[in-house]
Structure formats: C-alpha cells, structure tokens
Amino acid sequence: MRAGLAALLAVVGWRLADTDPSASLGPASAPVSPHRTTYAGRVPDLDVVDETFLAVPPKQVAAVFAEPATWRRFWPDLELEVYADRGDEGLRWTVRGALVGTMEVWLEPMLDGTVLHYFLRADLPAAPPRPRAMRRERTRRQLAAKSVALDLKLELENGRRPGFPPDLT
C-alpha cells in the first residue's frame, strides 16, 4: 500500500517522508533553507497566527516595525534577521534564539486603518517538549502576539474615539 501511494504521489511531484512517520507527505524536491520550517510535510512545533485591526494607516504601523530596537522590545528572546522588507506592507524575518523558524508581520490596508497580521512558524531548537509544555509555549506565544498588537493599538490610536477617523498627524 505504501509503495503504491508513493508511486501515485511521485506522479504529482510529492513523496512520502522517509525519516518521520508522523509526517506523511512532503514536496518531492523540498529545498532546505533557513526560511522553510515545514520539512517533508511536517508542521512546525509552533504555528501562531493573529489578526488585529488598528485604526491608523499602514505607514504608521510600518514605522514602528522598521526599528530593530522595537523587535527586541516585543520579542526579547528571539534573534531576528530581515529577509523580506516589504515597506508599508510589513516585514519577514528568520528567527533564531529561543525558537528557530520564520516570522512575518503583514500590514493590510483596510477601511480607515490597518489589519495587522502576525505569523510565527517555528520549532524549539532543543528536543520537543512534552505535549503539555508545548501547549503552554503555544499559548504563551499566542498571548504575546495579541499583547503586541493591543499595545500598538493603544499607542498608535492615541485615544481615538470609536467612529471617528484616525488622526493622520
């Protein structure tokens, strides 16, 4: 059965993972790069996604993330290296330190403001922790992502009342 499935997948350019039985599928020519965290179809240890609306233009939010000192304030245990600076649309980083993988902040213009999309796809550099510890780490990273977004919302919206346009000064 496994050989037949492998042959079928080879036709469409996929292969069965040989080294990790829990990861069944992966691209046939999966390149190994510092920006790729899904080897042989395996999901990273942490896959955090968050979205928050900020009633300020993307350019204002992008200015906050343009400063590397801000990165250290938001993510003190991570070493970040930009591999895609998308200007007012955000940044993509490789992640080292407490985690190894990729992170992205995508700034999407929406109505009179910006949707701040946050993506973290990373592995723990040491042996994977037990499931309970992994859940705690995932929750910690999810709460940290929302905290960053809500802190920015308070800072950048600067007391803007609901229903009023953002202050563009």
Short mmCIF file of all heavy atoms in Angstrom, two decimals, residues 34-35 65 71 75 79-84 90-95 101-105 118-119:
data_model
loop_
_atom_site.label_atom_id
_atom_site.label_comp_id
_atom_site.label_asym_id
_atom_site.label_seq_id
_atom_site.Cartn_x
_atom_site.Cartn_y
_atom_site.Cartn_z
N PRO A 34 16.89 28.46 5.33
CA PRO A 34 16.57 28.99 6.64
C PRO A 34 15.16 29.55 6.72
O PRO A 34 14.67 29.82 7.79
CB PRO A 34 17.61 30.10 6.85
CG PRO A 34 18.08 30.44 5.49
CD PRO A 34 17.94 29.19 4.66
N HIS A 35 14.49 29.73 5.57
CA HIS A 35 13.16 30.30 5.55
C HIS A 35 12.07 29.24 5.52
O HIS A 35 10.91 29.57 5.54
CB HIS A 35 13.00 31.21 4.33
CG HIS A 35 14.14 32.14 4.15
ND1 HIS A 35 14.53 33.04 5.11
CD2 HIS A 35 15.02 32.28 3.14
CE1 HIS A 35 15.58 33.71 4.69
NE2 HIS A 35 15.90 33.27 3.50
N PHE A 65 7.63 48.95 13.21
CA PHE A 65 8.36 47.72 12.97
C PHE A 65 9.68 47.94 12.21
O PHE A 65 10.51 47.05 12.15
CB PHE A 65 7.49 46.71 12.22
CG PHE A 65 6.43 46.12 13.08
CD1 PHE A 65 5.11 46.50 12.94
CD2 PHE A 65 6.74 45.18 14.05
CE1 PHE A 65 4.12 45.96 13.75
CE2 PHE A 65 5.77 44.64 14.87
CZ PHE A 65 4.46 45.03 14.71
N TRP A 71 11.90 45.41 17.80
CA TRP A 71 11.82 43.95 17.75
C TRP A 71 12.30 43.35 19.06
O TRP A 71 11.69 42.43 19.59
CB TRP A 71 12.68 43.38 16.63
CG TRP A 71 12.55 44.00 15.29
CD1 TRP A 71 11.52 44.79 14.84
CD2 TRP A 71 13.48 43.91 14.22
NE1 TRP A 71 11.78 45.19 13.56
CE2 TRP A 71 12.97 44.66 13.15
CE3 TRP A 71 14.69 43.27 14.08
CZ2 TRP A 71 13.63 44.77 11.94
CZ3 TRP A 71 15.36 43.38 12.88
CH2 TRP A 71 14.82 44.13 11.82
N TRP A 75 10.02 40.99 21.22
CA TRP A 75 10.44 39.58 21.25
C TRP A 75 11.86 39.48 21.80
O TRP A 75 12.81 39.17 21.05
CB TRP A 75 10.36 39.00 19.83
CG TRP A 75 9.01 39.18 19.21
CD1 TRP A 75 7.87 38.52 19.54
CD2 TRP A 75 8.66 40.09 18.16
NE1 TRP A 75 6.83 38.96 18.76
CE2 TRP A 75 7.28 39.93 17.90
CE3 TRP A 75 9.37 41.03 17.41
CZ2 TRP A 75 6.61 40.66 16.93
CZ3 TRP A 75 8.70 41.76 16.44
CH2 TRP A 75 7.34 41.58 16.21
N GLU A 79 16.19 36.24 18.10
CA GLU A 79 17.14 36.96 17.25
C GLU A 79 16.53 36.99 15.86
O GLU A 79 16.33 35.93 15.25
CB GLU A 79 18.48 36.24 17.24
CG GLU A 79 19.12 36.12 18.61
CD GLU A 79 20.26 35.12 18.61
OE1 GLU A 79 20.84 34.84 17.53
OE2 GLU A 79 20.56 34.60 19.70
N LEU A 80 16.23 38.17 15.37
CA LEU A 80 15.54 38.32 14.09
C LEU A 80 16.45 38.90 13.03
O LEU A 80 17.23 39.81 13.29
CB LEU A 80 14.32 39.23 14.27
CG LEU A 80 13.31 38.80 15.34
CD1 LEU A 80 12.21 39.84 15.47
CD2 LEU A 80 12.74 37.44 15.01
N GLU A 81 16.33 38.34 11.83
CA GLU A 81 17.07 38.86 10.67
C GLU A 81 16.08 39.02 9.53
O GLU A 81 15.41 38.05 9.13
CB GLU A 81 18.17 37.88 10.28
CG GLU A 81 19.00 38.37 9.12
CD GLU A 81 20.10 37.39 8.74
OE1 GLU A 81 20.63 36.70 9.63
OE2 GLU A 81 20.39 37.30 7.53
N VAL A 82 15.96 40.23 9.02
CA VAL A 82 15.01 40.51 7.94
C VAL A 82 15.46 39.80 6.67
O VAL A 82 16.61 39.89 6.27
CB VAL A 82 14.91 42.02 7.67
CG1 VAL A 82 14.03 42.30 6.45
CG2 VAL A 82 14.36 42.75 8.88
N TYR A 83 14.53 39.06 6.05
CA TYR A 83 14.83 38.51 4.73
C TYR A 83 13.89 39.08 3.68
O TYR A 83 14.12 38.90 2.49
CB TYR A 83 14.84 36.98 4.73
CG TYR A 83 13.51 36.28 4.81
CD1 TYR A 83 12.76 36.01 3.68
CD2 TYR A 83 13.01 35.86 6.04
CE1 TYR A 83 11.55 35.34 3.75
CE2 TYR A 83 11.80 35.19 6.12
CZ TYR A 83 11.08 34.94 4.98
OH TYR A 83 9.87 34.28 5.07
N ALA A 84 12.85 39.81 4.09
CA ALA A 84 11.98 40.50 3.14
C ALA A 84 11.41 41.74 3.80
O ALA A 84 10.57 41.64 4.70
CB ALA A 84 10.86 39.58 2.65
N GLY A 90 4.90 45.46 5.52
CA GLY A 90 5.41 44.67 6.63
C GLY A 90 6.78 44.09 6.40
O GLY A 90 7.51 44.47 5.48
N LEU A 91 7.13 43.13 7.26
CA LEU A 91 8.46 42.51 7.26
C LEU A 91 8.34 41.00 7.42
O LEU A 91 7.37 40.49 8.00
CB LEU A 91 9.29 43.03 8.44
CG LEU A 91 9.71 44.48 8.41
CD1 LEU A 91 10.16 44.92 9.79
CD2 LEU A 91 10.82 44.68 7.41
N ARG A 92 9.37 40.32 6.91
CA ARG A 92 9.52 38.88 7.15
C ARG A 92 10.90 38.66 7.72
O ARG A 92 11.88 39.23 7.22
CB ARG A 92 9.35 38.09 5.86
CG ARG A 92 7.95 38.13 5.30
CD ARG A 92 7.86 37.34 4.02
NE ARG A 92 6.52 37.43 3.49
CZ ARG A 92 6.22 37.37 2.22
NH1 ARG A 92 7.18 37.21 1.32
NH2 ARG A 92 4.97 37.46 1.82
N TRP A 93 10.97 37.82 8.76
CA TRP A 93 12.24 37.57 9.43
C TRP A 93 12.54 36.08 9.50
O TRP A 93 11.63 35.26 9.54
CB TRP A 93 12.20 38.03 10.89
CG TRP A 93 11.97 39.47 11.16
CD1 TRP A 93 12.92 40.46 11.21
CD2 TRP A 93 10.73 40.11 11.49
NE1 TRP A 93 12.34 41.66 11.55
CE2 TRP A 93 11.00 41.47 11.73
CE3 TRP A 93 9.42 39.66 11.59
CZ2 TRP A 93 10.01 42.38 12.08
CZ3 TRP A 93 8.43 40.56 11.93
CH2 TRP A 93 8.73 41.91 12.17
N THR A 94 13.84 35.77 9.58
CA THR A 94 14.23 34.45 10.06
C THR A 94 14.40 34.60 11.56
O THR A 94 14.77 35.66 12.05
CB THR A 94 15.56 33.95 9.43
OG1 THR A 94 16.56 34.92 9.65
CG2 THR A 94 15.40 33.67 7.95
N VAL A 95 14.09 33.53 12.27
CA VAL A 95 14.08 33.56 13.74
C VAL A 95 15.13 32.59 14.26
O VAL A 95 15.21 31.45 13.80
CB VAL A 95 12.68 33.17 14.27
CG1 VAL A 95 12.68 33.11 15.78
CG2 VAL A 95 11.62 34.13 13.76
N GLY A 101 12.93 29.47 13.05
CA GLY A 101 11.90 29.40 12.01
C GLY A 101 11.76 30.73 11.31
O GLY A 101 12.75 31.42 11.02
N THR A 102 10.50 31.11 11.04
CA THR A 102 10.21 32.37 10.36
C THR A 102 9.09 33.10 11.08
O THR A 102 8.27 32.49 11.77
CB THR A 102 9.79 32.15 8.89
OG1 THR A 102 8.61 31.38 8.85
CG2 THR A 102 10.88 31.49 8.08
N MET A 103 9.07 34.41 10.88
CA MET A 103 8.03 35.24 11.45
C MET A 103 7.71 36.33 10.43
O MET A 103 8.59 36.76 9.69
CB MET A 103 8.51 35.85 12.77
CG MET A 103 7.44 36.62 13.50
SD MET A 103 7.90 36.99 15.22
CE MET A 103 9.26 38.10 15.01
N GLU A 104 6.44 36.73 10.41
CA GLU A 104 6.03 37.78 9.48
C GLU A 104 5.02 38.70 10.13
O GLU A 104 4.16 38.25 10.88
CB GLU A 104 5.41 37.16 8.22
CG GLU A 104 4.89 38.19 7.24
CD GLU A 104 4.28 37.60 5.98
OE1 GLU A 104 4.24 36.36 5.85
OE2 GLU A 104 3.84 38.38 5.13
N VAL A 105 5.15 39.98 9.81
CA VAL A 105 4.13 40.98 10.12
C VAL A 105 3.68 41.51 8.77
O VAL A 105 4.48 42.07 8.01
CB VAL A 105 4.69 42.11 11.01
CG1 VAL A 105 3.72 43.27 11.06
CG2 VAL A 105 4.98 41.59 12.40
N TYR A 118 -0.10 38.67 11.98
CA TYR A 118 1.14 38.17 12.58
C TYR A 118 1.21 36.67 12.37
O TYR A 118 0.24 35.95 12.64
CB TYR A 118 1.14 38.50 14.08
CG TYR A 118 2.26 37.85 14.85
CD1 TYR A 118 3.53 38.41 14.87
CD2 TYR A 118 2.05 36.69 15.58
CE1 TYR A 118 4.56 37.82 15.59
CE2 TYR A 118 3.07 36.10 16.31
CZ TYR A 118 4.31 36.66 16.31
OH TYR A 118 5.32 36.09 17.02
N PHE A 119 2.35 36.20 11.87
CA PHE A 119 2.57 34.77 11.64
C PHE A 119 3.90 34.36 12.26
O PHE A 119 4.92 35.00 12.01
CB PHE A 119 2.63 34.46 10.14
CG PHE A 119 1.44 34.93 9.36
CD1 PHE A 119 1.46 36.15 8.71
CD2 PHE A 119 0.29 34.15 9.27
CE1 PHE A 119 0.37 36.60 7.98
CE2 PHE A 119 -0.81 34.59 8.55
CZ PHE A 119 -0.77 35.82 7.91
#
